Amino acid sequence: MAATLALPGALLAALLALASPSLTPIHQPGFCAFYGECGRNPEVNVSLVSSRVPCLSNPARVASGSLLSLLRSVCPELVRGDNETTLVCCNYLQLEALQRSVGLSGAVLARCPSCARNFANLYCHNICSPDQSLFTNVTRVIDYAEEPGALAVLQYQLFYSQGYAEAAFASCQDVRLPATGGYAIATMCGRYGAQLCTAQRWLDFQGDKNNGLAPLQIDFHLLPNSSEPGEGIVPLDAPVWGCDEAPDAGQEPCSCQDCARSCPPAVPPPDPPPPFRIGRADGVLVISVLLFALLALTFVLARWCRRGSAEPPPKARGRGRCSERAGDAWQRSLERAFRSWGTAVATRPVLVLLVALVVAGGLSAGLVTLRLTTNPVELWSAPGSRARQEKAFHDRHFGPFLRTNQVIVTAPGRAGVAYDSVLLGTKNFSGVLAQDVLLVLLELQETLAATTAWAPRSGRNVSLQDVCYAPLNPSQPGVGDCAVSSVTQYFQNNRSHLELRAWQQDSKNPGTVDWHDHLIYCVNSPLSFKDITALELSCMAEYGGPVFPYIALGGYPESEYTEAEALIVTYSLNNFEAGDPRLEWVLSWERRFLDVVRDFQRRHSHNLSVTFMAERSLEDEINRTSGEDIPVFATSYLLVFAYIALALGEYTAWRRVLVESKVTLAVGGIVVVLGAVLASMGLLSLLGLASSLIIIEVVPFLVLAVGADNIFIFVQELQQSQREPGETREQHVGRVLAQVAPSMLLCSISEAVCFLLGALSSMPAVRTFAITASLAIVFDFLLQMSGFVALVALDCRRQEAGRYDLCCCCGTGKGGPPGGGARLLRPLLERYYTPLLLHPLVRPAVVLLFLFLACAGLFLLFQVSVGLDQELALPEDSYMLEYFSAMNQYLAVGVPTYFVTTSGYDFSSANGTNAICSSSGCDSDSLTQTIQQATAFPNVSYLAIPATSWVDDFLDWLNPMGRCCRIHQFGPNKGEFCPSTSSALSCLLGQCLKTARRPTAEEFQRFLPWFLHDRPNLQCAKGGLGAYDTAVSMDANGTILASRFMAYQRPLRTSQEYTAALSAARALAERITSTLRAVPGTDPAFRVFPYTVTYVYYEQYLTVVYEGLVTLALCLVPTFAVSFLLLGMDVRSSLATLLTIAMVLLDTVGFMALWGVPYNAVALINLVAAVGISVEFVSHITCAFARSSQPTRVARATEATVTMGSKVVAGVAMTNLPGVVVLAFAKARLIQIFFFRLNLIITLVGLAHGLAFLPVLLSYIGPRPRVPAGQDTPGDAGLGLGNPCFNDTDTEKDKDKDKDKDKDKNKDKDKDKDKNKDKDKDKALGKG
C-alpha cells in the first residue's frame, strides 16, 4: 500500500514544482533551457571546480568541428549519424568543463564502465542534450552584468523517470573504492553514506550547490514511469546500461566486486561441522558412559570369574624365564654397585663434597652468560615455523609492523543531543561527541605532540616526529605529518577549525553551520578534500590522509557514526628491529605517552572514562607483575625449605631434639637440588641456549619435588634401618643406598628421558624447558648420589657423636646411631588408611571410582578451551584490563590483515593484472575479488573490509579521462612525469595512455614508480603515496619482489577467534595461490600468504593439541621402558605404572576443564612436568611392591603403601603443597591459573592415584613375589623390605615402651665407650 501511494506522491510533488516560477516557456524537442556561460555563480563560495553558470537560452545549436569532436569523446550518445546534423545545448567551454567534472568522478567510477558511462550521460543530457527543454525547467536567474540582456541561470529543475534514475543509481551502487574497501557511492551521497543512499538522495547530492562540484542548484524530480506532469514536460528516460552489461564492444561489464549481478551465484561456505552427537545426546558423553560401563562390567566379571581362586605360589629368585633371570642379575648388579659407591662416598665425604661443589659451582658460573628470552615471539614460535618465516619475509620487504598506541575515551551517563543541520537534516549526537569533549581530546593530542622523552643510551630527547609513521613525508616529518587517527583530525587537529561557525546561505533553509555539520559530512565522505558547508574545511587529516570513521569512532549502531559512544585516538609509530638505536627512541616516547595519558585520565576521571595502551604496555605489565610476585615465589620456596628442614628429622626425646634435628642436612639437600638447577642452566647458557622466566619458575619446583622425594626416601630409610652386627657406619650408608638407589635411578632416568623427548616440541619455550628439566634431573641424581650421600655420612657421624645440628662444635655428648623416632604418617597409613583402602569391599569401589574419573576426564578433555587470552597474562590491577574491555566493547574493526605475494609473479602482463584486480575486465576469481567475496561471510572468513588494491588504483590512475598520469610533451622535462597539480602547457594532451586499456609490460614498469610516489590531491585522488608506496617492494630493475593487499579483520575477542581467523585466512590464501599459479609465466614456487601481527602468537594453537598429545605420549614411552628394564623386565608392574600415569594426565585435564584452566603451551609445560611428578608418586610404590617378599598381592600392596607411601607423601606431596598454595596470592593471573591451580591439581590428582588407585590396582594385577615368604638374601633387599625396620616397629614401640626406655639407659651408660670407638674409627680413617 505504501508503494502505491508513493508514486502519486512523486507526481504531486512534480506538479507543485511546476507551480513555481518558470523561465523555460518552450518544452519541445530541439530547444534548450540554457546555453553558453554567463560568469560565476555569486551564491557559491566553495567549489572544487569552476562554478560558472549557463545563460538562459532556447534554440539548440549545430555541433561541428572541434565541438563535435569533443562531444564524440565526452558524450558519444548525443552524436547523430554521419548523415544527420547533431544539435547541442552547450558550447565548447561548457563541454570542456563537463569533461573535467566527469574526469573527477571517472577516477572513482571508471573501474565500472557502465556506471561511469551512465553517470557521464546524466550530465551530458543535463547540459548538452538538444532536447534539454523537455525535462528541464529554469526557476531562478540573475542579470549577467558583462552582457546586457543576458540572464545567468542560478537554479533549475530536472524531471527524470523513476525507472531511469533507479537504473542509473543501481549501476553505481556497488562500485568499490580500492583504497578503502568501501563504496564509491558513500562519497556521492552526502550525509547518508552508502547504506542509506537512494536514487533520489544520490541525485539531490549531485544537484546541491554546496557539494563543492555543482556550480548551481539543481532540483531533481523523479516521476513514475510513463507519467507526464504537463506543461509539455517529458521526464528523461534515456537508455541505461546495467552494471553487468558492457557499454560498447571494446569494454567489459563491471566486475563482481562492483556489481552483484555480475557475480556467479554466491555459494555460502560450508557451515562448521555440527557437534558430535549420538541421537540428541553429546556423542563424547555417550562414548564415555559406554566406555565406563564396559570397563566396569569387565572388572566385575573378571572378579566374579576369579572368586575363590588362590594366588600362585611365589617364585624363587634365579628361576623362571630368561628375562626374569636377566632382570634379577641386573638388579643384583645395581645393588652391588650402589653399595660399593655409597660405602666409598661415606668413607671420604669431604673429598666428595669438594668435588661436587667444584663441578656444580663451575657449571653454575655459566649463569654469567645467561640470556633471558622475554619476547613472546621467541618463546612460543619456532624460528622455522611458517608464521616466523612469513613474518621475516614481510619485515624484510615492508619493514616491521607499525607500533600502535591507543586511547579510548567515553562519557558514561552523559546524555546525547539532537542536532538540526540546515544542510544535512537532523542527526543524534552522543554525549561523548560534544564540543567540550573534543576540545579536551584535542588538548591531549597537543600535549602529546609537544612532549619529549629522554633516551638515555642515545643521550638525546625524542619527540613524536622522531618516531611517528609519516606516510606522506617519511624522510623529514614534522609533527603535522604524523599519522594520528582521531575524530579531531576531521578538523586537522586545529582548535580554530573546531570552533569555527559560518552562515550557510541556502535558498531552502539558511542558517548557521558549525563543527556538527562538518563532522556529519566527513564521517560519510572521509575522502573529501572540502566539505559542502560554508566552513570550507577539508575532511582529510592534518597529515594529508583520510580518517575512516570505523577507526576513529566506536560503539555506534550500524552506520550512525554521530551516535558513537567512544572516541578512539590511535598513534601509529615506526617499529624497529632489536639492536637498532631507534628502538630505544620509540620505547622512551611510549613511556612518556603512558605518563601523559595517565595524567589526563586522572584529571578527567570525574566526567570521562579513559582507557589506553602502548605497544610496550603488555610486556611492561608482565615484567611489573613478575617483579611484584617475586616475594610470593620467595615465600613459597621458604615454606618448602622450612617444611623439609623440620620434617626430615625424627625425634626420640625432647633433650635430643638439637642432636636429632636435620636442619643442616635439609639445607644441604636443598642446596644440592638448587645446585642441580643452577648447574643445568649454567651449562646450557655456556652452550648458547637462552632461558626464560617460565623455566626459572617451573624447573626449581619440579626438581625440588623430585629431589625432596629422594631426600626423604634415603634419610628416612636410614633412620629406620638398624646397623647389622659388625657393620661400620660407612657400610651401613652403602647398604641403605643400595636399597633405595635403584628406585631413585628408575624415577630419574624415566623423568630425564621423558623431558628429553619433550624437547622434540617445535615450540622454543617447551623445548628449552624440557632440555633444562632433563639436564637438571640428571644433575640432581648425580649430586644426590655424591654430595648428598656425603652430607648424610657426615650427619650420621655428628649424630653419633652427640653434637648439635646447627652447631656441631657443641653437643650433649650423648650420641648413638640414628634410630626410629616419633612419626605421624606411617602409623596413620598402617593403622587406619591401608586396612580401609585394601578392605575386600573397598577395593572394587576404588577401582570403579577411578575408572569413572578417567572416563569423566575423557569427556571433559573435549571441553577444555584451547588458547590463552591476553588478559590472563595481566595482573588484576592492570590498567590494560580496562583497555581490553573497552576495545572489545567499542572497536568496530580488528587489526589489518595483509595478503602478501612473493616473487615470481608477473603483474605487468595483462593476464597477471587481470588475476589480481577487481575492476571491469578482471578475472572473476582474482585475488581482490576472492577476498571481497570472503568478506560477505565475516563469521567464516573473519574479514570485515575487503582488501585495498594498488593494482586497481594504479589502473584508475592511468585512466586517460583523468589528469593523474601525464607526461611532459616538450621542454626541459620532456618525457618526465607531470603531476596533476601542474598547469604547464607541456602537459596538455600528455596522458600516459591515450585510451582506456591495460598498460603494456614496459608501460607498467615505467609508470608504476610514478604512481607510488604521486601524492593524492584534489585533482587526482588516486595518487599512491601514503596508501601504496610501502605496499610494493621492487628491485633496481623494477621487478616486483613482493607486494601486499590490506584487508581488515572483524573484531576478535578471544584466542579461539584469533586462531580461527588465522586458519581461515590461510585457507583463503591457499585458494588464491592455486589460482595465481595457473596464470602463464608464474613461478611454481610463487605463493600468497596472510600476515598480521597476531599470527605469530596464535599459530601455536593450530598444532598445540596434536603436539601436546605427541609430546605426552612420547613422555610415557620411556616411563614404561625404563620401568620394564629396571624392574627386572616386569611387564605387569610397568603396565601398572604406565596406566596410572596416563590416568593422572587424563584426570588432570578433566579438572582443568572444571576449574577454567585453558590448554596452551604453558599448560603443556606443566603437563610435561606432571608426568615427572607422577613418576615420583607412582614408580617408588611400584618398585616397593615389585621387591616385596610378602606372600600375597594385598600384603605386598599394604607393605609398599605403608613403607614407601609415607615417604612419597612427605617427600612429594607435602613438599609441593605449601609452595603451591602460596602462589594463590600472586597478582599475575597467569601464575594463579597455570601455577597455582594447575600444580595443585597435578599434586592432588597424582597423590590420589599413587596412594589410592595404584595400591589397589597392584593388589589385583601385580606380579607374583620373587622370593618365598620368610626368606631373604642380601640381593633380595631391594628397597630394604627384608630389613627389620620394615617390621611393625611403630606398633612394637607402642606396646613395649619400657623396653625402649631400657635401651636408652643402656645407651647412656655406654656413651663413653661409643665415643672412644668413634674416635678410634675416625683416627683409623684419617678423619678424626
Side-chain angles (χ1 to χ4, degrees):
M1 186 66 179
T4 59
L5 292 175
L7 296 181
L11 184 58
L12 177 61
L15 293 174
L16 291 175
L18 286 174
S20 59
S22 175
L23 297 171
T24 309
I26 302 175
H27 297 287
Q28 294 179 11
F31 283 83
C32 305
F34 42 76
Y35 180 89
E37 293 185 348
C38 282
R40 296 183 181 275
N41 189 341
E43 297 179 354
V44 175
N45 297 319
V46 182
S47 181
L48 306 182
V49 295
S50 174
S51 61
R52 301 183 70 84
V53 296
C55 304
L56 188 67
S57 181
N58 285 121
R61 277 72 166 177
V62 176
S64 61
S66 59
L67 175 61
L68 181 61
S69 175
L70 185 60
L71 184 70
R72 186 174 285 110
S73 171
V74 180
C75 303
E77 282 73 28
L78 298 182
V79 179
R80 300 290 187 260
D82 294 338
N83 298 324
E84 299 181 50
T85 301
T86 298
L87 300 177
V88 293
C89 287
C90 61
N91 62 16
Y92 190 85
L93 293 177
Q94 282 181 289
L95 194 56
E96 273 192 324
L98 172 61
Q99 183 185 36
R100 288 192 296 271
S101 179
V102 170
L104 285 176
S105 61
V108 176
L109 303 177
R111 54 186 284 106
C112 179
S114 55
C115 166
R117 182 69 66 85
N118 291 333
F119 186 77
N121 280 347
L122 286 175
Y123 286 95
C124 285
H125 284 288
N126 294 350
I127 297 173
C128 292
S129 171
D131 303 326
Q132 185 187 71
S133 65
L134 285 176
F135 52 86
T136 305
N137 189 47
V138 177
T139 58
R140 196 158 58 92
V141 295
I142 60 171
D143 292 329
Y144 181 41
E146 296 184 10
E147 186 176 335
L151 297 175
V153 177
L154 297 184
Q155 186 172 352
Y156 64 89
Q157 299 166 334
L158 283 174
F159 297 88
Y160 286 176
S161 72
Q162 187 82 28
Y164 170 67
E166 293 287 355
F169 172 72
S171 69
C172 296
Q173 188 173 14
D174 295 328
V175 177
R176 294 275 185 173
L177 286 175
T180 67
Y183 292 96
I185 205 73
T187 67
M188 306 172 71
C189 211
R191 67 188 176 97
Y192 296 104
Q195 293 191 358
L196 300 179
C197 195
T198 63
Q200 182 68 63
R201 290 168 175 173
W202 179 51
L203 292 174
D204 286 345
F205 181 79
Q206 307 308 312
D208 190 340
K209 68 180 181 182
N210 298 299
N211 67 7
L213 293 171
L216 73 169
Q217 185 67 37
I218 307 172
D219 301 321
F220 288 88
H221 300 278
L222 307 186
L223 303 181
N225 297 338
S226 303
S227 63
E228 297 183 7
E231 301 290 333
I233 291 181
V234 179
L236 179 64
D237 193 8
V240 176
W241 287 271
C243 61
D244 57 342
E245 299 174 336
D248 54 50
Q251 293 179 306
E252 297 282 346
C254 302
S255 67
C256 173
Q257 188 172 19
D258 298 319
C259 176
R261 289 190 293 177
S262 295
C263 297
V267 179
D271 294 330
F276 173 52
R277 308 190 75 82
I278 298 178
R280 296 184 178 180
D282 186 291
V284 178
L285 177 61
V286 172
I287 291 176
S288 300
V289 171
L290 292 177
L291 180 61
F292 171 70
L294 177 62
L295 293 174
L297 181 62
T298 302
F299 171 72
V300 171
L301 289 178
R303 296 311 305 152
W304 178 265
C305 293
R306 297 192 62 180
R307 68 187 187 283
S309 60
E311 287 190 31
K315 275 190 176 181
R317 271 198 168 184
R319 301 178 184 177
R321 291 173 299 178
C322 179
S323 61
E324 294 176 346
R325 293 197 301 273
D328 292 340
W330 170 251
Q331 181 66 27
R332 285 193 297 270
S333 64
L334 277 180
E335 291 169 356
R336 283 195 298 268
F338 281 118
R339 183 192 291 265
S340 300
W341 172 258
T343 304
V345 170
T347 303
R348 298 176 179 81
V350 176
L351 177 62
V352 171
L353 270 177
L354 288 175
V355 173
L357 183 62
V358 170
V359 173
L363 293 176
S364 300
L367 289 174
V368 297
T369 64
L370 178 68
R371 290 185 300 110
L372 279 181
T373 301
T374 57
N375 186 345
V377 175
E378 301 291 338
L379 282 174
W380 307 115
S381 183
S385 68
R386 177 176 171 180
R388 286 285 293 277
Q389 290 178 338
E390 291 171 349
K391 180 182 184 299
F393 181 91
H394 176 274
D395 292 354
R396 184 166 62 253
H397 290 283
F398 308 110
F401 212 90
L402 294 176
R403 301 177 69 90
T404 299
N405 296 255
Q406 201 164 66
V407 182
I408 301 176
V409 178
T410 60
R414 183 166 179 166
V417 296
Y419 176 75
D420 189 15
S421 170
V422 298
L423 282 175
L424 305 170
T426 302
K427 298 290 286 186
N428 292 324
F429 276 70
S430 65
V432 75
L433 272 174
Q435 189 176 38
D436 61 326
V437 178
L438 296 180
L439 288 171
V440 165
L441 192 64
L442 182 57
E443 177 189 350
L444 169 64
Q445 294 174 76
E446 290 171 346
T447 303
L448 288 171
T451 193
T452 59
W454 177 253
R457 287 199 297 272
S458 301
R460 56 162 291 176
N461 279 316
V462 178
S463 58
L464 176 60
Q465 59 263 37
D466 293 324
V467 295
C468 74
Y469 171 61
L472 297 179
N473 188 15
S475 57
Q476 293 181 332
V479 172
D481 296 315
C482 295
V484 180
S485 175
S486 168
V487 67
T488 58
Q489 283 281 30
Y490 288 127
F491 307 90
Q492 296 75 51
N493 277 352
N494 189 310
R495 187 178 298 271
S496 62
H497 288 182
L498 185 58
E499 296 173 339
L500 189 64
R501 298 168 66 87
W503 179 259
Q504 186 75 37
Q505 182 64 46
D506 189 284
S507 60
K508 293 181 180 179
N509 187 21
T512 302
V513 292
D514 60 11
W515 67 272
H516 292 91
D517 304 84
H518 181 68
L519 184 62
I520 296 172
Y521 179 82
C522 288
V523 294
N524 290 288
S525 300
L527 297 176
S528 298
F529 285 89
K530 194 173 289 186
D531 69 9
I532 64 174
T533 74
L535 298 173
E536 303 183 25
L537 295 177
S538 171
C539 293
M540 304 298 277
E542 183 183 13
Y543 70 91
V547 177
F548 298 112
Y550 52 79
I551 294 178
L553 300 169
Y556 48 83
E558 296 184 353
S559 296
E560 296 295 334
Y561 299 115
T562 58
E563 298 180 24
E565 297 178 7
L567 309 180
I568 304 170
V569 183
T570 305
Y571 284 79
S572 297
L573 307 182
N574 290 317
N575 207 350
F576 306 99
E577 298 288 347
D580 191 321
R582 292 173 296 176
L583 180 60
E584 186 204 8
W585 298 3
V586 71
L587 289 174
S588 300
W589 193 88
E590 285 180 350
R591 186 185 303 110
R592 181 61 183 155
F593 167 87
L594 293 174
D595 293 338
V596 171
V597 179
R598 193 175 286 113
D599 179 67
F600 175 82
Q601 179 191 51
R602 178 186 54 79
R603 287 188 289 109
H604 297 281
S605 59
H606 61 283
N607 63 340
L608 297 177
S609 172
V610 181
T611 61
F612 56 93
M613 62 82 69
E615 188 74 22
R616 62 175 295 158
S617 292
L618 192 60
E619 190 170 345
D620 282 352
E621 287 296 278
I622 293 174
N623 291 338
R624 175 179 71 85
T625 308
S626 300
E628 291 179 351
D629 284 335
I630 287 177
V632 176
F633 274 96
T635 304
S636 175
Y637 281 116
L638 287 175
L639 280 177
V640 173
F641 297 165
Y643 163 75
I644 295 175
L646 296 176
L648 202 58
E650 282 190 319
Y651 310 102
T652 57
W654 282 105
R655 56 188 174 82
R656 292 178 54 82
V657 166
L658 294 179
V659 175
E660 295 176 337
S661 169
K662 301 290 183 184
V663 174
T664 304
L665 182 61
V667 172
I670 293 169
V671 170
V672 166
V673 172
L674 295 181
V677 174
L678 297 177
S680 62
M681 293 177 64
L683 176 59
L684 294 176
S685 297
L686 290 173
L687 296 176
L689 189 67
S691 188
S692 64
L693 289 174
I694 199 166
I695 290 176
I696 296 175
E697 291 165 348
V698 177
V699 171
F701 264 111
L702 173 66
V703 180
L704 193 60
V706 174
D709 190 26
N710 291 342
I711 289 172
F712 274 91
I713 290 173
F714 184 32
V715 173
Q716 289 188 1
E717 184 69 18
L718 186 65
Q719 290 170 338
Q720 296 166 7
S721 174
Q722 300 297 322
R723 191 178 299 175
E724 295 178 351
E727 187 178 47
T728 64
R729 179 176 58 240
E730 291 75 15
Q731 292 171 340
H732 184 206
V733 171
R735 176 170 59 82
V736 173
L737 184 65
Q739 294 167 2
V740 299
S743 175
M744 296 179 183
L745 179 64
L746 165 64
C747 293
S748 298
I749 293 179
S750 298
E751 292 157 357
V753 177
C754 163
F755 291 129
L756 201 58
L757 291 176
L760 297 176
S761 170
S762 63
M763 283 181 279
V766 177
R767 183 171 60 250
T768 306
F769 162 79
I771 293 174
T772 306
S774 177
L775 195 59
I777 293 292
V778 171
F779 282 162
D780 179 60
F781 178 77
L782 295 177
L783 288 176
Q784 285 186 329
M785 291 298 102
S786 55
F788 187 69
V789 172
L791 287 173
V792 169
L794 291 175
D795 187 72
C796 289
R797 179 183 303 171
R798 175 199 61 78
Q799 185 172 347
E800 290 183 9
R803 297 170 186 161
Y804 293 148
D805 179 25
L806 295 174
C807 184
C808 59
C809 299
C810 307
T812 62
K814 298 180 180 180
R823 292 182 300 275
L824 176 63
L825 280 176
R826 179 166 172 165
L828 185 65
L829 293 175
E830 186 172 19
R831 296 174 187 172
Y832 305 106
Y833 177 76
T834 306
L836 177 63
L837 175 70
L838 298 176
H839 190 278
L841 296 179
V842 176
R843 286 195 299 154
V846 169
V847 172
L848 293 177
L849 172 62
F850 278 88
L851 287 177
F852 170 78
L853 291 176
C855 294
L858 178 64
F859 167 70
L860 293 171
L861 172 69
F862 293 90
Q863 318 304 317
V864 177
S865 62
V866 178
L868 176 62
D869 294 337
Q870 50 192 345
E871 291 91 335
L872 295 181
L874 297 169
E876 294 177 343
D877 61 347
S878 173
Y879 66 90
M880 287 286 289
L881 293 177
E882 295 180 352
Y883 167 78
F884 284 132
S885 176
M887 182 187 73
N888 293 334
Q889 182 177 356
Y890 297 119
L891 261 63
V893 296
V895 295
T897 297
Y898 295 101
F899 287 85
V900 182
T901 66
T902 62
S903 60
Y905 186 81
D906 185 7
F907 288 87
S908 63
S909 70
N911 289 330
T913 300
N914 291 336
I916 297 293
C917 64
S918 60
S919 57
S920 175
C922 301
D923 297 342
S924 60
D925 58 351
S926 68
L927 180 147
T928 46
Q929 300 245 45
T930 302
I931 297 173
Q932 189 272 334
Q933 292 164 13
T935 60
F937 306 97
N939 290 333
V940 177
S941 68
Y942 294 89
L943 295 176
I945 297 178
T948 60
S949 171
W950 61 267
V951 175
D952 285 273
D953 274 340
F954 177 49
L955 295 178
D956 293 344
W957 183 80
L958 290 172
N959 193 308
M961 293 293 292
R963 54 185 290 156
C964 292
C965 187
R966 300 185 300 168
I967 305 174
H968 287 283
Q969 300 297 300
F970 54 85
N973 297 322
K974 181 179 180 181
E976 296 180 5
F977 174 64
C978 177
S980 58
T981 54
S982 174
S983 300
L985 292 177
S986 60
C987 299
L988 294 178
L989 303 178
Q991 276 73 15
C992 297
L993 301 181
K994 301 305 180 184
T995 60
R997 59 175 175 82
R998 294 287 188 263
T1000 64
E1002 293 76 15
E1003 292 170 335
F1004 192 100
Q1005 292 191 352
R1006 180 187 181 190
F1007 299 147
L1008 180 59
W1010 293 357
F1011 162 72
L1012 295 177
H1013 295 91
D1014 185 24
R1015 183 176 184 131
N1017 55 68
L1018 180 61
Q1019 301 297 327
C1020 176
K1022 291 289 185 176
L1025 182 65
Y1028 300 121
D1029 58 307
T1030 59
V1032 183
S1033 174
M1034 297 185 292
D1035 63 13
N1037 298 321
T1039 303
I1040 296 178
L1041 303 177
S1043 70
R1044 62 182 184 179
F1045 301 82
M1046 183 181 71
Y1048 275 95
Q1049 292 178 346
R1050 68 176 179 84
L1052 305 177
R1053 292 175 171 82
T1054 65
S1055 58
Q1056 289 80 17
E1057 288 185 342
Y1058 279 105
T1059 306
L1062 167 59
S1063 181
R1066 283 186 172 176
L1068 182 62
E1070 290 297 331
R1071 284 175 48 202
I1072 296 172
T1073 299
S1074 62
T1075 300
L1076 297 187
R1077 283 180 178 174
V1079 175
T1082 302
D1083 190 329
F1086 165 82
R1087 71 187 186 96
V1088 178
F1089 65 85
Y1091 173 74
T1092 192
V1093 67
T1094 59
Y1095 285 171
V1096 74
Y1097 303 107
Y1098 290 99
E1099 184 190 40
Q1100 58 178 300
Y1101 301 123
L1102 296 176
T1103 58
V1104 70
V1105 173
Y1106 169 78
E1107 189 163 314
L1109 291 174
V1110 171
T1111 300
L1112 294 175
L1114 288 176
C1115 285
L1116 293 176
V1117 170
T1119 302
F1120 173 81
V1122 174
S1123 298
F1124 178 71
L1125 292 175
L1126 294 184
L1127 291 177
M1129 302 183 185
D1130 183 349
V1131 177
R1132 290 192 177 193
S1133 298
S1134 303
L1135 285 176
T1137 300
L1138 180 66
L1139 176 63
T1140 307
I1141 295 176
M1143 290 176 67
V1144 169
L1145 289 176
L1146 201 57
D1147 289 353
T1148 298
V1149 176
F1151 281 107
M1152 285 171 58
L1154 294 176
W1155 208 353
V1157 180
Y1159 173 75
N1160 47 52
V1162 182
L1164 176 57
I1165 287 177
N1166 281 279
L1167 289 175
V1168 173
V1171 176
I1173 293 175
S1174 299
V1175 168
E1176 293 293 320
F1177 280 119
V1178 172
S1179 294
H1180 288 300
I1181 293 178
T1182 305
C1183 196
F1185 180 91
R1187 301 307 172 194
S1188 174
S1189 58
Q1190 296 298 322
T1192 65
R1193 291 192 180 101
V1194 173
R1196 296 162 68 201
T1198 300
E1199 185 178 65
T1201 305
V1202 170
T1203 57
M1204 192 57 69
S1206 61
K1207 300 180 180 66
V1208 169
V1209 172
V1212 184
M1214 297 306 298
T1215 301
N1216 274 7
L1217 286 175
V1220 168
V1221 169
V1222 172
L1223 296 182
F1225 300 98
K1227 287 188 176 181
R1229 292 192 294 173
L1230 195 71
I1231 294 175
Q1232 293 176 9
I1233 293 174
F1234 295 103
F1235 295 95
F1236 165 63
R1237 293 186 190 178
L1238 190 49
N1239 278 293
L1240 185 63
I1241 291 171
I1242 291 170
T1243 303
L1244 295 180
V1245 170
L1247 179 64
H1249 282 77
L1251 216 61
F1253 175 70
L1254 181 61
V1256 173
L1257 179 66
L1258 291 173
S1259 72
Y1260 282 123
I1261 67 168
R1264 289 183 292 170
R1266 304 291 297 281
V1267 178
Q1271 182 178 342
D1272 193 16
T1273 65
D1276 292 335
L1279 291 171
L1281 299 177
N1283 194 285
C1285 72
F1286 280 82
N1287 295 330
D1288 200 352
T1289 56
D1290 295 302
T1291 305
E1292 292 174 0
K1293 187 178 69 175
D1294 291 337
K1295 292 179 179 179
D1296 197 4
K1297 293 181 180 178
D1298 293 337
K1299 187 180 294 184
D1300 291 338
K1301 291 180 181 179
D1302 293 340
K1303 288 181 180 179
D1304 288 336
K1305 289 180 181 179
N1306 292 333
K1307 289 177 183 177
D1308 292 336
K1309 290 179 180 179
D1310 295 337
K1311 65 180 181 179
D1312 293 333
K1313 186 184 295 184
D1314 291 336
K1315 273 181 162 185
N1316 294 332
K1317 286 182 179 179
D1318 287 340
K1319 288 181 180 178
D1320 293 338
K1321 287 181 181 178
D1322 291 340
K1323 288 179 180 178
L1325 292 172
K1327 292 184 171 63

